[in-house]
Amino acid sequence: MSDRICKFYEVLVGLEIHIQLATRSKMFTAAPNAFGQPPNSLVDPQVLGLPGVLPVMNKRAVEYSIKVGLALGCQIAPFTKWDRKSYYYPDLPKNYQISQYDLPLCSSGTFDIPDDDGSTKTIRIRRAHLEEDAGKLIHEAPGGHPIDYTIVDLNRAGTPLLEIVTEPDFTTPRQVTTFAQELQKIVQYLGVSEGQMQMGHMRFEPNINLHVTDQTGVVHRTAITEIKNLNSFSVLEKATAYEIQRQLHQWLETGALGQKSTYGWDDAREITVHQRDKEEANDYRYFPDPDLVPVIVDDTWLAELKRQIGELPAARRKRYVESVGLSPVDAATLAADRHTGDLFDQSVAAGAAPKRVATLLLSHGRRLANESGKPLAQLNLKPNRIAELANLIDQNKIAPAEPAGKVLERLLQQDAPAEQIASELGLLQSSDTSAIEAAIEALIAQNPKPLQDYKSGKQAAFGALVGMVMKQAKGLNPKLVQERLKQKLG
Ligand code: MN
């Protein structure tokens, strides 16, 4: 039995994230940046680290990184440089990785995430810097046969990699995953990475420790451990939760605070396993890369990138709820990808009621998108036509259910005024009151049984009467028919 009692403990988790940027070429050379190609086909002398080859910076990768930095509320460094991080490993032919050490491109950001209790949790971003990815080491032969040697595939080597480091502000595994998911949405929205976890576009490394307060009030700080290379949200959450409990129980059972070290996740056993004690920064012998010029980010460039970003998803969601009056769910759906949000905004700007446009896009629009297997924004619907259709509904000229859906469907192939299409399809409702009056008069003249029923107090007969008036003439507006009929019958 141990005499250690934990009165309470604080969880401190920081997150390190590596994101592969979707540039066409690699970080410091023109070799293509692609996935799923034959092994070692995306290499050139620079990737192979052959002598006498000089790196040239990929400007697009810098721009993508600045966009992510801005989305995370970071300061963008007006002056930054490249450093060599030395280590010897077969996946890194140059024996050093080009990275950024003391002058990261982005620093000191803050990003808000929703917490489980409905409150907002602010995560501080320590830094975000650019570097190049290493190649891949493969320990089994193609087909899964065991081998007693290692295969090197350098296709990934030199891919632009954005490394984001947060402060240890997360206090629950759930917050860690929420942040990761929000970050995925951001990079996809900005179009800087596909953010596909199964392709390794995003890799997460939580670093975890605890401050345990014992029964006498003394605080015991466990050593920080880092769990390497987690590439799914569920594993990220499970591994973080496991490691918190492992550290707590290690202290409870042995009093040990552990060593600063690196762990991996064993997916089969669902536990974290010790890999190695951690290197210190000076083991990497960082020094400025003499082959590359510094990066100067001037105000003009920064302003242009801010303009390109436009409104970020979180701001857009907020605007849709607060000033447009959409429900949080509808707002989130429309703001989830940039193009759908743009289509909605442009349709409203073309002169339609926002809620009507939202309903139109979220009901018929989404159905048509599902049927065609394409995203809503790629259906080629014109904002002015969507606005026209929304206005027809609001003017009672077309019914919002099936008829509006049919007009929207026709608009996929034919760019013509919505009213013209509705008319061609015979879907326009007549709001002509004289036609409605005439139909009601005709019905009264026929004096059918439902009319007698209604007059003798059977309210249920009203629906049948509306149907009978509608049958007198094609395309009458049912809402108006109901109103007029009620008036007529007192
Ligand atoms: Mn890194």
Side-chain angles (χ1 to χ4, degrees):
M1 265 304 283
S2 97
D3 50 3
R4 277 168 299 276
I5 292 171
C6 163
K7 224 165 91 190
F8 61 89
Y9 66 97
E10 242 182 291
V11 172
L12 292 89
V13 182
L15 202 51
E16 196 177 303
I17 308 116
H18 285 89
I19 302 174
Q20 281 187 8
L21 301 177
T23 52
R24 277 195 297 247
S25 55
K26 291 190 176 180
M27 186 62 233
F28 296 107
T29 181
N33 174 22
F35 187 85
Q37 298 302 305
N40 297 306
S41 63
L42 308 175
V43 297
D44 64 8
Q46 199 276 337
V47 173
L48 293 173
L50 299 182
V53 190
L54 292 173
V56 178
M57 179 194 91
N58 184 331
K59 188 180 172 192
R60 187 57 62 85
V62 175
E63 296 192 328
Y64 282 1
S65 303
I66 292 176
K67 286 182 176 180
V68 176
L70 289 171
L72 295 175
C74 289
Q75 305 290 318
I76 307 302
F79 176 94
T80 177
K81 64 178 173 68
W82 303 102
D83 300 288
R84 290 185 179 184
K85 178 181 182 178
S86 306
Y87 64 93
Y88 177 84
Y89 216 60
D91 60 9
L92 187 73
K94 297 198 303 297
N95 292 336
Y96 61 84
Q97 177 192 33
I98 306 176
S99 181
Q100 298 189 292
Y101 182 49
D102 54 339
L103 293 176
L105 187 57
C106 317
S107 61
S108 314
T110 54
F111 188 73
D112 288 346
I113 53 166
D115 206 350
D116 271 347
D117 62 5
S119 65
T120 296
K121 172 86 186 171
T122 300
I123 305 299
R124 291 169 299 156
I125 311 296
R126 184 179 298 169
R127 59 183 284 161
H129 71 253
L130 242 180
E131 58 190 29
E132 53 178 350
D133 208 347
K136 237 180 202 161
L137 298 181
I138 299 158
H139 306 285
E140 51 183 36
H145 307 295
I147 46 175
D148 58 4
Y149 53 91
T150 294
I151 300 170
V152 185
D153 178 3
L154 293 173
N155 278 357
R156 198 180 67 183
T159 297
L161 210 53
L162 179 63
E163 179 180 325
I164 300 168
V165 184
T166 79
E167 298 293 346
D169 290 343
F170 301 98
T171 55
T172 68
R174 184 80 204 110
Q175 287 171 1
V176 176
T177 342
T178 302
F179 179 88
Q181 287 165 331
E182 290 292 319
L183 188 60
Q184 183 192 42
K185 284 185 210 156
I186 284 179
V187 298
Q188 290 175 340
Y189 188 89
L190 293 172
V192 304
S193 173
E194 289 170 51
Q196 295 300 320
M197 312 287 277
Q198 68 279 13
M199 289 183 178
H201 292 158
M202 294 179 87
R203 281 129 45 196
F204 298 94
E205 291 165 357
N207 45 78
I208 298 162
N209 80 317
L210 307 178
H211 292 180
V212 187
T213 304
D214 69 17
Q215 69 272 34
T216 63
V218 175
V219 179
H220 306 266
R221 290 154 199 251
T222 60
I224 299 172
T225 58
E226 179 174 278
I227 315 174
K228 294 303 262 185
N229 266 326
L230 305 176
N231 59 3
S232 91
F233 296 128
S234 67
V235 162
L236 175 61
E237 191 162 333
K238 272 193 279 189
T240 305
Y242 181 89
E243 182 60 15
I244 291 168
Q245 291 306 312
R246 191 197 62 76
Q247 290 187 11
L248 178 63
H249 286 275
Q250 177 178 272
W251 179 80
L252 280 171
E253 282 152 30
T254 68
L257 295 170
Q259 285 250 358
K260 194 176 177 193
S261 51
T262 296
Y263 276 70
W265 175 248
D266 183 328
D267 207 26
R269 291 190 290 163
E270 300 215 318
I271 60 169
T272 54
V273 283
H274 181 264
Q275 287 180 335
R276 57 191 154 88
D277 291 339
K278 218 167 153 47
E279 301 84 356
E280 295 297 333
N282 54 18
D283 293 337
Y284 289 122
R285 293 158 30 239
Y286 279 101
F287 71 95
D289 193 310
D291 292 342
L292 283 156
V293 291
V295 187
I296 312 282
V297 183
D298 63 23
D299 290 347
T300 320
W301 192 14
L302 199 56
E304 169 56 19
L305 294 172
K306 280 183 184 163
R307 194 195 60 75
Q308 286 176 18
I309 292 173
E311 189 181 33
L312 286 158
R316 197 170 228 180
R317 281 200 301 264
K318 201 167 164 233
R319 178 167 64 82
Y320 286 174
V321 172
E322 287 174 7
S323 42
V324 181
L326 301 184
S327 74
V329 175
D330 287 355
T333 312
L334 289 173
D337 83 284
R338 171 180 221 134
H339 303 293
T340 307
D342 288 349
L343 183 65
F344 171 74
D345 283 343
Q346 288 159 10
S347 306
V348 172
K355 279 193 183 167
R356 180 61 70 193
V357 173
T359 315
L360 202 52
L361 291 179
L362 293 171
S363 56
H364 301 304
R366 261 207 293 193
R367 175 179 55 81
L368 294 172
N370 284 342
E371 283 169 13
S372 66
K374 271 195 251 173
L376 177 56
Q378 277 177 33
L379 291 180
N380 212 14
L381 287 166
K382 306 258 189 328
N384 59 326
R385 300 303 182 212
I386 293 171
E388 285 170 9
L389 181 55
N391 287 331
L392 286 179
I393 298 171
D394 280 338
Q395 291 155 13
N396 277 321
K397 287 186 178 165
I398 188 163
E402 221 186 305
K406 282 185 176 156
V407 175
L408 198 68
E409 191 168 355
R410 177 64 70 88
L411 280 168
L412 299 181
Q413 296 115 32
Q414 188 187 351
D415 181 33
E419 185 154 12
Q420 183 193 320
I421 290 180
S423 162
E424 282 168 13
L425 294 173
L427 296 170
L428 270 189
Q429 293 176 155
S430 168
S431 297
D432 176 0
T433 43
S434 61
I436 293 172
E437 292 293 336
I440 293 174
E441 292 303 334
L443 180 83
I444 291 171
Q446 289 161 17
N447 194 29
K449 189 164 181 298
L451 188 60
Q452 297 153 24
D453 289 349
Y454 184 75
K455 281 179 173 163
S456 63
K458 289 184 187 150
Q459 293 295 315
F462 188 73
L465 285 176
V466 172
M468 293 176 94
V469 176
M470 298 287 290
K471 268 190 201 152
Q472 302 276 337
K474 215 178 157 225
L476 295 180
N477 181 338
K479 233 173 102 185
L480 285 179
V481 167
Q482 284 190 28
E483 281 170 23
R484 286 281 159 171
L485 193 61
K486 254 200 187 124
Q487 278 173 17
K488 206 88 189 171
L489 302 176

